[in-house]
């Protein structure tokens, strides 16, 4: 009917590109892709799929460029992007604060040792000739002194990075997602993110199923869709538990 058409074209017309209201700022290998894909199910969220790296690398392109990257959103919809490198980039908190001091910040954290192993596994899959995890992680194997500047370990120094954010933002403006629970109870973790964003809890248990082959919760396919929903790959090689123990010690 005419009235429906008029309505939808008006909605279309009022959709515009706006700067994000919320950011997933980290951490790499924490589960940021999974979280973003889960949140995209929410009708009040419009999220950019790619990582724009605006505040850490491309700030010189200006806000006009950044805004033009965003998906169109209706009034009331929350615009989001994720760039996990923001969390560890020293210039980023100040830049975000200058741009929009009320922005909501989300960090997915995961056991830093598991995170480091996951990071290394990804690096070695692209550059197979690099030295072993142990030889990169330790400055001195016998004293157990680690190389905290090696990126897989450096990223995991959460408290150190967080300190820089707290120079600009109150803790209440930063929501921490429990990376392990995002796997064991995705609906619970995503529920808390919806609360934090001031949204109705629309994404719930019924949207997930546990994919045993992948070892991860995945999104149920929307009815009639042939698009695969899983971006997760089965696990690659693992660092032996003995190494992880010595690393912790
Ligand atoms: P692994 O490579 O160790 O499995 P990010 O997207 O932030 O880089 O994080 C990647 C990690 O997300 C994966 O690390 C995986 O553990 C985690 N993850 C959490 N929930 C997931 C899900 N539902 N599907 C796939 N990966 C998920």
């Amino acid at each position: 009917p005419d009235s429906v058409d008029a309505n939808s074209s008006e909605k279309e017309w009022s959709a515009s590109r706006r700067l994000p209201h919320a950011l997933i700022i980290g951490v790499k290998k924490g589960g940021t892709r999974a979280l973003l894909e889960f949140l995209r199910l929410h009708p009040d969220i419009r999220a950019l799929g790619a990582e724009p790296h605006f505040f850490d690398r491309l700030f010189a392109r200006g806000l006009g460029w950044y805004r033009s990257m965003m998906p169109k959103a209706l009034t009331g919809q929350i615009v989001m992007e994720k760039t996990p490198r923001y969390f560890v980039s020293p210039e980023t908190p100040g830049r975000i604060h200058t741009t929009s001091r009320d922005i909501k910040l989300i960090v997915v954290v995961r056991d830093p040792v598991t995170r480091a192993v996951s990071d290394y596994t990804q690096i070695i899959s692209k550059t197979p000739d690099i030295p072993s995890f142990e030889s990169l992680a330790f400055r001195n194997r016998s004293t157990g002194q680690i190389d905290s500047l090696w990126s897989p370990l450096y990223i995991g120094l959460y408290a150190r990075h967080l300190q820089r954010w707290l120079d600009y933002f109150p803790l209440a403006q930063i929501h921490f997602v429990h990376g392990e629970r995002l796997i064991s109870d995705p609906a619970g973790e995503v529920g808390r993110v919806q609360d934090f964003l001031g949204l109705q809890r629309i994404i719930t248990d019924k949207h997930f199923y546990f994919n045993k082959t992948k070892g991860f919760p995945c999104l149920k396919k929307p009815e009639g869709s042939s698009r695969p929903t899983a971006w997760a790959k089965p696990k690659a090689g693992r660092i032996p538990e003995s190494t992880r123990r010595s690393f912790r010690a």
Side-chain angles (χ1 to χ4, degrees):
D2 285 344
S3 58
V4 171
D5 283 341
N7 234 336
S8 61
S9 62
E10 190 179 313
K11 273 192 169 175
E12 189 58 39
W13 182 80
S14 65
S16 59
R17 296 186 202 283
R18 282 171 291 134
L19 293 175
H21 307 94
L23 298 175
I24 299 176
I25 55 175
V27 299
K28 182 187 178 198
K29 305 307 285 178
T32 57
R33 172 57 55 192
L35 178 64
L36 190 79
E37 297 304 324
F38 295 164
L39 289 174
R40 289 178 111 166
L41 281 186
H42 201 294
D44 294 334
I45 292 181
R46 297 288 283 126
L48 178 62
E51 297 177 6
H53 282 281
F54 175 65
F55 291 107
D56 59 335
R57 291 184 183 144
L58 303 176
F59 197 59
R61 294 197 180 178
L63 282 177
W65 175 82
Y66 186 45
R67 188 186 293 111
S68 77
M69 297 297 288
M70 294 302 143
K72 283 190 173 173
L74 299 169
T75 313
Q77 282 185 317
I78 290 184
V79 178
M80 294 189 67
E81 63 113 326
K82 79 123 176 157
T83 303
R85 194 165 170 277
Y86 288 164
F87 188 65
V88 299
S89 141
E91 315 80 38
T92 293
R95 288 173 174 175
I96 294 181
H97 188 258
T98 313
T99 306
S100 96
R101 54 185 304 159
D102 295 329
I103 201 160
K104 294 188 175 178
L105 304 169
I106 299 168
V107 194
V108 190
V109 283
R110 179 179 180 192
D111 176 304
V113 175
T114 325
R115 201 218 66 82
V117 171
S118 166
D119 206 345
Y120 176 82
T121 307
Q122 185 178 6
I123 296 169
I124 206 166
S125 72
K126 290 181 186 161
T127 42
D129 294 335
I130 58 165
S132 69
F133 183 92
E134 293 88 332
S135 53
L136 292 167
F138 292 102
R139 281 223 195 111
N140 184 330
R141 281 303 293 274
S142 44
T143 63
Q145 191 196 9
I146 60 161
D147 181 359
S148 58
L149 293 180
W150 183 46
S151 152
L153 303 189
Y154 179 74
I155 293 173
L157 304 175
Y158 301 147
R160 185 194 287 189
H161 303 302
L162 181 62
Q163 201 54 53
R164 287 194 300 264
W165 291 88
L166 295 177
D167 289 342
Y168 292 93
F169 296 98
L171 196 53
Q173 214 169 314
I174 308 175
H175 178 76
F176 295 89
V177 174
H178 190 303
E180 283 79 8
R181 274 206 305 254
L182 187 63
I183 297 171
S184 63
D185 176 23
E189 278 309 305
V190 173
R192 280 182 280 277
V193 175
Q194 291 170 97
D195 295 346
F196 174 69
L197 294 175
L199 297 175
Q200 233 184 303
R201 284 196 178 206
I202 287 180
I203 310 160
T204 60
D205 266 331
K206 68 176 192 303
H207 291 98
F208 301 98
Y209 75 98
F210 193 81
N211 183 318
K212 284 198 187 129
T213 319
K214 297 198 166 75
F216 289 112
C218 291
L219 293 173
K220 288 182 188 159
K221 272 193 212 165
E223 297 240 332
S225 160
S226 58
R227 194 168 59 95
T229 54
W231 56 95
K233 290 190 220 89
K235 288 265 189 287
R238 279 278 173 250
I239 300 294
E241 181 57 30
S242 57
T243 306
R244 297 177 49 188
R245 272 200 305 275
S246 64
F247 179 81
R248 280 174 196 285

